[in-house]
Amino acid sequence: IVSVKRHFSKTKECILIDSINEIPNGETICITGHYNSYKLLEILNIHNDFNILKKRLLNKTIKYVGICSGLQILLKEINDEFDSNKTIQGLGILNNRIKRCEIPNITFKNNKFYCHSYEIVDGSNNIIYEYKKDNINAYQYHPENSYL
């Protein structure tokens, strides 16, 4: 979280919040990587933020920056990495699917830093490195550790 805050503080005022409801309309939430996406969705549900976040994204009342897991939770469904029979509902913004990498991907590619064990692929198995539409910008790579 520290590296993300340092990166985005160059252009924005960054604060930590306890609830999605605390974000004023038109402001940006950043959900960072380095999480198990399944657990991240569980936490959002436990704190009653899942439905609030989904509604605010769909109604475009907040902007969204998703990094790594923040991109992955945009899918319709996420499997638990420890029990493939367990799934949890994602935010449903993307219709793609997530797959486990054969080996963890820790590398720089085009000055972008990647560090993940899962990747999002489309119906043709093309890797989705980023998603940008309307109020949502989400990345498989880590802009806070990239040379951008």
Side-chain angles (χ1 to χ4, degrees), residues 1-2 4-5 13-19 22-23 30 32 35:
I1 292 177
V2 172
V4 172
K5 186 174 181 182
E13 180 185 352
C14 296
I15 60 169
L16 297 176
I17 59 166
D18 293 320
S19 171
E22 294 179 31
I23 304 170
C30 179
T32 65
Y35 298 107

Side-chain angles (χ1 to χ4, degrees), residues 71 74 93-94 128-133 136-139:
L71 169 65
L74 295 175
I93 307 291
L94 294 174
I128 307 299
Y129 293 107
E130 62 184 32
Y131 174 82
K132 293 182 177 185
K133 185 175 180 187
I136 300 172
N137 291 305
Y139 313 97

Side-chain angles (χ1 to χ4, degrees), residues 92-143:
I93 307 291
L94 294 174
N95 292 319
N96 306 79
R97 64 184 177 82
I98 193 167
K99 75 173 195 172
R100 188 176 185 93
C101 300
E102 290 182 23
I103 58 171
N105 184 5
I106 303 171
T107 189
F108 276 93
K109 181 178 179 181
N110 298 325
N111 290 329
K112 297 173 182 171
F113 178 67
Y114 293 86
C115 180
H116 58 270
S117 297
Y118 292 87
E119 54 198 11
I120 295 175
V121 294
D122 65 15
S124 300
N125 260 352
N126 296 311
I127 299 170
I128 307 299
Y129 293 107
E130 62 184 32
Y131 174 82
K132 293 182 177 185
K133 185 175 180 187
D134 299 326
N135 56 322
I136 300 172
N137 291 305
Y139 313 97
Q140 184 62 63
Y141 58 90
H142 292 261

Side-chain angles (χ1 to χ4, degrees), residues 48-129:
N48 299 315
D49 279 329
F50 177 84
N51 289 325
I52 297 166
L53 177 59
K54 185 173 183 174
K55 180 179 177 182
R56 294 196 71 189
L57 289 177
L58 293 174
N59 291 337
K60 301 176 185 167
T61 61
I62 58 173
K63 299 171 192 161
Y64 180 87
V65 174
I67 300 171
C68 200
S69 295
L71 169 65
Q72 295 168 5
I73 67 170
L74 295 175
L75 296 170
K76 285 186 174 187
E77 188 175 80
I78 300 284
N79 289 332
D80 184 345
E81 68 179 288
F82 302 109
D83 182 352
S84 60
N85 294 320
K86 287 175 57 178
T87 60
I88 192 167
Q89 177 185 359
L91 292 168
I93 307 291
L94 294 174
N95 292 319
N96 306 79
R97 64 184 177 82
I98 193 167
K99 75 173 195 172
R100 188 176 185 93
C101 300
E102 290 182 23
I103 58 171
N105 184 5
I106 303 171
T107 189
F108 276 93
K109 181 178 179 181
N110 298 325
N111 290 329
K112 297 173 182 171
F113 178 67
Y114 293 86
C115 180
H116 58 270
S117 297
Y118 292 87
E119 54 198 11
I120 295 175
V121 294
D122 65 15
S124 300
N125 260 352
N126 296 311
I127 299 170
I128 307 299
Y129 293 107

